[in-house]
Amino acid sequence: MNGQYIDDEDEISGYQKIDRYNPELITSLSEHYKEILKQIGENPEREGLLKTPERVAKAMLYLTHGYELDAKKILSSALFKEEYSQMVVVKDIEVYSMCEHHMLPFFGKAHIAYIPNGHVVGLSKIPRVVDIYARRLQVQERLTNEIRDCIQETLQPIGVGVVIECRHLCMCMRGVQKQNSVTTTSAFTGGFLQEKTRAEFLNLISNKLS
Ligand SMILES: Nc1nc2c(ncn2[C@@H]2O[C@H](COP(=O)(O)OP(=O)(O)OP(=O)(O)O)[C@@H](O)[C@H]2O)c(=O)[nH]1
Ligand SMILES: [Zn+2]
């Protein structure tokens, strides 16, 4: 195993042991990346690039490890009966994902709120859910909806609010080349569909919106 398996529970999931870095997969991916290096005009045999295919293979497996993890399972592992009925907001959660169109990064912040309905969730599980869906090939809109749906279906709260704001490198370093544009997406359920509740949430996170 050579330490190549992600088997440190804290490192990725906190719970689920995943077999993502298996040597056969790394070898196979590395061969493809070696070929890609040749085709873009590089020499994969030069010293600086000798280990690059393997490094890229491992990086890509890490950047997409969300496919291996079950967000609902992680969220439901830490539900606590509690009569707190006000809005809970976890804001400024770092997001790192890759757009499914160009496989280039998009990154920024997620702000998540819910109103409990008899149960609260362990706070760390909310950023874990964000990561599980972000560490895949994504579009920002689907990422937003998947986080909302996971929390709504698992926790069954009175409502869920999700706002994500990201910069897309496919719009900065290529293509339209807009360096400062930020994309904001949002998704709501239940109580957050009401203007007053949504306004309270947006107000609580507003100092962080660009
Ligand atoms: N809606 C949405 N679009 C995205 C996201 N990430 C990247 N895109 C867009 O996906 C689109 C793909 O459009 P295409 O015309 O097929 O690709 P392209 O020729 O590379 O487009 P340009 O980026 O405009 O050069 C682009 O407009 C990207 O900006 C995302 O998270 N959500
Ligand atoms: Zn893109």
Side-chain angles (χ1 to χ4, degrees):
M1 304 208 177
N2 302 327
Q4 291 182 328
Y5 286 80
I6 299 175
D7 58 4
D8 176 348
E9 291 194 347
D10 284 330
E11 188 181 355
I12 299 294
S13 69
Y15 294 101
Q16 290 164 280
K17 210 165 176 177
I18 61 173
D19 172 20
R20 188 106 175 118
Y21 287 178
N22 78 71
E24 294 77 27
L25 184 53
I26 290 172
T27 303
S28 160
L29 275 173
S30 301
E31 281 161 11
H32 290 293
Y33 283 120
K34 192 169 173 184
E35 189 55 34
I36 288 170
L37 285 173
K38 280 187 209 158
Q39 296 204 13
I40 63 172
E42 261 295 354
N43 170 14
E45 307 301 336
R46 73 177 173 84
E47 196 187 346
L49 292 181
L50 281 178
K51 287 185 70 182
T52 296
E54 186 180 330
R55 290 191 197 100
V56 179
K58 287 180 182 170
M60 197 53 74
L61 287 172
Y62 181 78
L63 296 174
T64 56
H65 72 255
Y67 292 122
E68 305 274 347
L69 299 173
D70 184 339
K72 289 183 180 172
K73 192 171 163 187
I74 286 181
L75 198 60
S76 57
S77 71
L79 298 186
F80 308 111
K81 206 163 160 37
E82 199 61 61
E83 288 312 316
Y84 183 83
S85 58
Q86 298 304 308
M87 190 181 296
V88 178
V89 182
V90 184
K91 64 183 182 182
D92 296 336
I93 302 167
E94 294 92 339
V95 172
Y96 289 99
S97 190
M98 281 199 300
C99 83
E100 67 183 18
H101 303 117
H102 303 93
M103 293 177 69
L104 286 172
F106 65 91
F107 60 95
K109 286 183 174 172
H111 314 285
I112 317 279
Y114 73 98
I115 302 170
N117 189 14
H119 289 86
V120 296
V121 67
L123 286 178
S124 67
K125 305 309 174 198
I126 291 178
R128 285 187 188 281
V129 167
V130 172
D131 277 347
I132 289 169
Y133 291 113
R135 296 307 198 163
R136 306 173 183 201
L137 300 186
Q138 275 289 8
V139 294
Q140 189 176 323
E141 295 90 332
R142 189 171 68 241
L143 173 63
T144 310
N145 284 344
E146 285 179 343
I147 294 166
R148 174 201 60 191
D149 293 345
C150 175
I151 297 172
Q152 181 61 47
E153 288 164 23
T154 310
L155 194 54
Q156 299 191 344
I158 288 166
V160 178
V162 179
V163 170
I164 300 183
E165 41 183 358
C166 284
R167 289 179 196 279
H168 290 245
L169 286 190
C170 66
M171 289 176 66
C172 300
M173 61 192 290
R174 58 159 297 289
V176 73
Q177 303 200 30
K178 295 299 171 209
Q179 311 308 326
N180 295 306
S181 73
V182 175
T183 303
T184 302
T185 47
S186 59
F188 303 101
T189 65
F192 286 82
L193 298 172
Q194 290 165 16
E195 203 178 325
K196 206 172 148 205
T197 306
R198 191 162 63 224
E200 181 185 338
F201 170 47
L202 296 178
N203 183 45
L204 284 169
I205 64 171
S206 62
N207 57 333
K208 296 297 175 188
L209 288 173
S210 327

